Structure formats: C-alpha cells, structure tokens
Amino acid sequence: MGIIIPGFSASASDWCIPVQLDLAQRLSDEADVTIFPLRYPHHQRPYTIGNIQVRPQGGALAAGAARLNPLRRAVAAVTAEHRRQPFDVLHAMWADEPGFVAVAAGRLLEVPAVASLLGGELVGLRDIRYGAQLSRINRALIGVTLHAARRVTAGSSYLRQLAAPLVPPHRLVPLTLGVNTDLFQPCDGCDRPALTLDGYPSLLHVASLVPVKDQATLLRAVARVRRDVPDVHLHIVGDGPLRAVLGQCAAGLGMRDCVTFHGAVRHEMLPAWYHAADLCVLSSRHEGQELVTLEAAACRRATVGTAVGILPDLMPPQYVARPGNAERLAAAIRAALDNTSSCVTEAAVDAVRTRYNLERSTASLTEMYASLTG
C-alpha cells in the first residue's frame, strides 16, 4: 500500500505527526507500506523507518503555481514504485494535495484510492485565515478528491456532518485515528515519575499556539471561572506564533499568576502531564478529530471544550460549548469541576479502549482495504 501525506517523520525519533508514525508502523506489520511525504522532509532522498519505505518529494514551502511541481513528482514517484511492486491501494492522509495525488495516480494505475479528512479541508474561517476552502486551488483539489476517491473517511460525527453534502453515504466511512494505548494509559500503580502542576484545580490545555486553537477565548473563560474558583490554574503546553500575544492577553485579564506557558513538550512525555492535571480543556474553532482528547481519556482524564472534532462524541452536552463563547466554556469548566469524579464516564474510557485506539484503527483500515481490493 502507498500512503500520501503532507509530512512524515524524518526518523524514528522525529515526532512530525505522532499518530501517523504510530499508524504506519502498525500497518507495516500487516503489509508492505511506502510513504510519499509531499512537503516534509525538505529533501528527496529515500529512507526507511523500520519496515516502512519513505519517498519524500521535497515540496517544502512551495506555494502558488509552484505547488504543482511536488504533486507531479509524487504522481510520477507513485507510478514508478508501482512498476517495481504494484500497489493494492493508495491512501491519502488529508484530502487536498495528498488526496489529489492519490486519486490521480490511482486513476492512472487502476488502483483504488482512499482519502481521509483530517483537518481544515472543508472549512474556511476568513477572520483567522484558516481552512482549505479559502483557497481556489485547494477547493479544486479537494473537489477532485471527494469525487474520485473510492472511500472518504472522517474521524468524528462533526466532520462527517461537514462532509455529508459532498460525499455519498456509501463512500463516507466513519474511521477515527486511534490513540496509542501502550503510551497513553491510566497511571494507577504506574512507575512513571510524578509531575506536579500548580493550582487546585489544575487545568491542562495541549495545543499549538495558533489562531484556530483560540486560546484567547480559553483565557477569558478561565478568568470567569476564577471568580468562583480562585485557586484555579491554567497550564498551556505547546508553542507557536501567538505566544507573546497570549501572554499579553493573560496579563490584561489579571491572570499572570494563574496561567503558565510551558512551551513544547515531547510527545512521549505527555502522559505525565495528563496524569498530573485535574481537567483538560480545549477551545478550538475547528478540529477534525482532536487526538489530544483521546489521549487524555486514555489516561482517565476528562476534557471539556468546544463542539468540534470528537469531543461531542465523547462528552455529555453540558461539557461542550459553542466555539468562541467564553461564557459557555466557563460554564462547562465549572460543571466539570463540580463533578470531576464522574466527568469521564466509564463509557468514554471504554470507548477509547474498544474503538478509538491504534489497534482498532489498524484493523478497520485493513478491513476497508480488503473490501476495496477483494
């Protein structure tokens, strides 16, 4: 099988997109897997990670008409690899550039192509300049992908609702990229080093500091919570271009002493942060899936936040707020803090254990591949 993706780990220790590395490693136990990263790494030298063959196309930051060059290279690379060892299926992770390459190569080679919706392909938020629908080229690429892909997968009910007007029901497949429960698991009796977070309660937010994550609304929500819960402390894990702006926002809200920006944390260290937190919070304007919600649940920690991604599939309505609504998000946080013992129900934990884990994702994908290839 061939996987077309924007970026992939340059080595086993490079957590470019952790879930994609985990998934590819599991799939490579079941099949011959070749990865075609379109943009990252920024070179075209083939390499391997375990059993995975990687054929980078070196697209880097190509924009405008120059974007077409790595796409043409990728179609040619897939075709050449197919001549060496024929593909049974091509799978695009993201439906814009990777999707176009997968369906174009699939049509040339008469190989079934699958596309996974994973990010902002179906939205266009003009005020923060986020989403593929803001670009005419991206709209065209996605349109071709959704028309030609034999299956289109979406990892949450929210995302499937966005895709439903564009993809016939028989081709739209619910499929969530699951969490690695070997790494993310409850800490009952574990021997991991303890991590202590300031505040009681301690809130944990794990996300890049970019506009679509909307940490400004989160800060305003926590400021409201603090009126009733004066010892609350917000811990923000992640880095990005809005770091200075958000620091100023916290200071302007009088929250300098109850918000800590921890910067980036290595992926394998995240379980300790989930275990140390009393509650996880998210404030995104849009998410395709929200893997951090599944990671937290696998560690037996609740997440409250906005009604995007997979959060509405896991949490009752009182713990979910409309994006951009600081007052409603504050109410969701207070409701969870009032009921922390049962906020993450056994049903949600069981859902991660049985449906939203890496093993189930791998099995679901291989079943879908088999149905397409006979």
Side-chain angles (χ1 to χ4, degrees):
M1 59 171 296
I3 297 177
I4 298 91
I5 191 168
F8 191 70
S9 300
S11 67
S13 60
D14 175 14
W15 292 105
C16 171
I17 308 176
V19 67
Q20 298 292 349
L21 177 59
D22 285 339
L23 182 62
Q25 288 175 327
R26 297 298 175 94
L27 287 172
S28 70
D29 293 334
E30 307 288 335
D32 294 326
V33 176
T34 303
I35 309 287
F36 298 90
L38 301 182
R39 293 181 173 271
Y40 178 85
H42 299 167
H43 61 75
Q44 298 179 49
R45 298 185 298 275
Y47 61 96
T48 62
I49 298 179
N51 297 328
I52 306 165
Q53 304 295 318
V54 188
R55 303 288 183 265
Q57 302 306 300
L61 302 178
R67 295 175 60 186
L68 300 179
N69 293 328
L71 303 190
R72 282 193 292 261
R73 282 199 302 269
V75 172
V78 172
T79 302
E81 188 68 22
H82 180 77
R83 290 182 182 135
R84 190 186 69 82
Q85 182 177 6
F87 288 112
D88 293 305
V89 65
L90 298 173
H91 191 159
M93 298 294 182
W94 282 269
D96 45 10
E97 293 179 342
F100 178 81
V101 170
V103 299
R107 183 170 295 177
L108 286 172
L109 304 174
E110 298 184 346
V111 172
V114 175
S116 288
L117 295 165
L118 293 174
E121 297 102 314
L122 303 183
V123 298
L125 306 177
R126 293 190 179 279
D127 60 320
I128 58 172
R129 301 176 65 185
Y130 174 86
Q133 293 299 308
L134 299 180
S135 162
R136 183 171 59 184
I137 294 177
N138 280 338
R139 290 198 301 270
L141 295 174
I142 294 165
V144 170
T145 299
L146 298 185
H147 175 75
R150 293 278 296 276
R151 296 290 186 272
V152 176
T153 77
S156 63
S157 298
Y158 163 80
L159 196 54
R160 289 193 296 277
Q161 290 171 3
L162 293 178
L166 307 171
V167 183
H170 70 280
R171 290 197 290 116
L172 184 58
V173 178
L175 196 150
T176 302
L177 299 185
V179 63
N180 183 350
T181 51
D182 291 337
L183 177 61
F184 297 95
Q185 55 183 264
C187 196
D188 305 332
C190 70
D191 57 359
R192 292 189 181 95
L195 174 69
T196 301
L197 296 181
D198 291 338
Y200 185 78
S202 58
L203 308 181
L204 177 65
H205 173 78
V206 180
S208 300
L209 306 185
V210 293
V212 72
K213 303 299 184 179
D214 198 12
Q215 287 94 356
T217 292
L218 176 60
L219 290 171
R220 292 194 296 271
V222 174
R224 286 173 165 82
V225 172
R226 196 184 186 199
R227 298 169 190 169
D228 303 318
V229 189
D231 293 329
V232 68
H233 197 107
L234 174 63
H235 298 268
I236 297 179
V237 168
D239 208 348
L242 295 184
R243 169 64 182 84
V245 171
L246 293 170
Q248 293 171 356
C249 180
L253 291 167
M255 297 174 60
R256 194 189 299 272
D257 60 337
C258 69
V259 177
T260 303
F261 292 88
H262 295 278
V265 170
R266 288 183 60 83
H267 181 70
E268 65 270 23
M269 300 302 297
L270 284 176
W273 290 80
Y274 292 124
H275 297 150
D278 294 307
L279 181 69
C280 297
V281 289
L282 285 173
S283 50
S284 302
R285 296 273 302 274
H286 170 79
E287 294 281 354
Q289 179 179 305
E290 283 179 356
L291 196 70
V292 292
T293 298
L294 299 181
E295 292 171 354
C299 294
R300 204 177 293 276
R301 287 297 177 269
T303 300
V304 301
T306 47
V308 296
I310 205 166
L311 192 60
D313 295 340
L314 288 180
M315 297 297 291
Q318 63 266 34
Y319 304 125
V320 180
R322 181 170 56 83
N325 190 327
E327 184 175 351
R328 181 66 189 88
L329 181 56
I333 293 171
R334 283 193 293 263
L337 293 177
D338 290 341
N339 197 20
T340 53
S341 61
S342 62
C343 187
V344 172
T345 64
E346 284 305 315
V349 175
D350 188 62
V352 172
R353 187 181 303 118
T354 59
R355 286 185 288 153
Y356 300 132
N357 58 69
L358 193 56
E359 290 74 16
R360 185 62 244 170
S361 297
T362 306
S364 297
L365 281 171
T366 52
E367 290 167 9
M368 180 176 62
Y369 300 153
S371 71
L372 291 173
T373 62

